[in-house]
Amino acid sequence: MHNKRGYHHGSLKQALIDAALEILAEGGPSALTLTEAARRAGVSPAAPYRHFSGRDALMSELARRGFETFGARIETAWDEGRPDAKSAMRAMCAAYLKFARDEPGLYAAMFGQAQTLADPGAGGAADHALEILWRAVVAWLQQAGAPAQGARYAALQIWSLAHGVAMLTISGHFDPVKSADPALVLESAATGVMESAAARAKAAPA
């Protein structure tokens, strides 16, 4: 039985967001409805509409918060490429996986349905997070003595790898003891992408 949050736990909006994150962490995007969020928050089914026009609006708000938090964490891990781009990229990949494990509700909202990113706030936060990764790829290429050609494509490859490893980890398919350490899997894959990108950039006609 879930504890009813009610207003004594803070604002109605925050109570609904907390309930929604709990639902997403348990059952993913398909499990989230405004009615269920209201029930867990201990308010009437009509109460969520004071703050959200519908379920998609709630999902967009969660995605925005998720990408803003995620972006801040990977930017801190990147630390402007210190002590070097390769080490900083390793730290960024580790921060990515840690965020997915620590914030399963936010992570589900961020990647659960693409239409949530049509909201300017959520879409802008997602673009900013990708921009951080793109800057990291450019710095890696520069330190490798390669031009930044193909940097955005390489950034999308690393994002795809990171998301795949994160999802496999969250779902229990990657176990450091039974199968493989997800951080090492991601680090090795990201390094391969970057070394290939650097080689291609160096070989490309000027």
Side-chain angles (χ1 to χ4, degrees), residues 106-153:
L106 285 176
Y107 197 77
M110 291 159 61
F111 296 106
Q113 52 191 61
Q115 59 263 39
T116 61
L117 300 184
D119 175 81
D127 289 344
H128 177 67
L130 181 57
E131 187 75 13
I132 296 165
L133 180 54
W134 175 77
R135 293 202 309 263
V137 168
V138 169
W140 177 304
L141 292 172
Q142 289 176 337
Q143 288 193 15
Q149 183 176 345
R152 190 166 293 277
Y153 182 72

Side-chain angles (χ1 to χ4, degrees), residues 13-161:
K13 184 176 182 179
Q14 189 59 49
L16 292 167
I17 286 172
D18 290 343
L21 290 175
E22 184 179 80
I23 295 165
L24 287 167
E26 292 173 1
S30 62
L32 178 61
T33 64
L34 285 181
T35 300
E36 178 60 14
R39 187 188 72 79
R40 295 201 189 196
V43 297
S44 72
Y49 292 95
R50 300 177 193 175
H51 294 285
F52 302 105
S53 59
R55 176 188 177 279
D56 288 349
L58 174 57
M59 283 288 288
S60 291
E61 172 66 12
L62 294 171
R64 179 190 67 77
R65 293 185 180 206
F67 274 112
E68 286 180 352
T69 303
F70 168 74
R73 291 191 187 179
I74 63 170
E75 190 164 29
T76 296
W78 169 245
D79 193 25
E80 298 183 358
R82 290 188 287 258
D84 58 77
K86 187 172 184 178
S87 299
M89 180 73 78
R90 185 183 305 118
M92 181 183 287
C93 287
Y96 190 115
L97 294 183
K98 187 176 188 306
F99 176 86
R101 288 194 300 264
D102 292 350
E103 302 290 350
L106 285 176
Y107 197 77
M110 291 159 61
F111 296 106
Q113 52 191 61
Q115 59 263 39
T116 61
L117 300 184
D119 175 81
D127 289 344
H128 177 67
L130 181 57
E131 187 75 13
I132 296 165
L133 180 54
W134 175 77
R135 293 202 309 263
V137 168
V138 169
W140 177 304
L141 292 172
Q142 289 176 337
Q143 288 193 15
Q149 183 176 345
R152 190 166 293 277
Y153 182 72
L156 290 172
Q157 284 182 297
I158 291 175
W159 193 318
S160 299
L161 287 168

Side-chain angles (χ1 to χ4, degrees), residues 165-174:
V165 173
M167 291 303 294
L168 287 168
T169 302
I170 292 171
S171 61
H173 290 289
F174 269 159

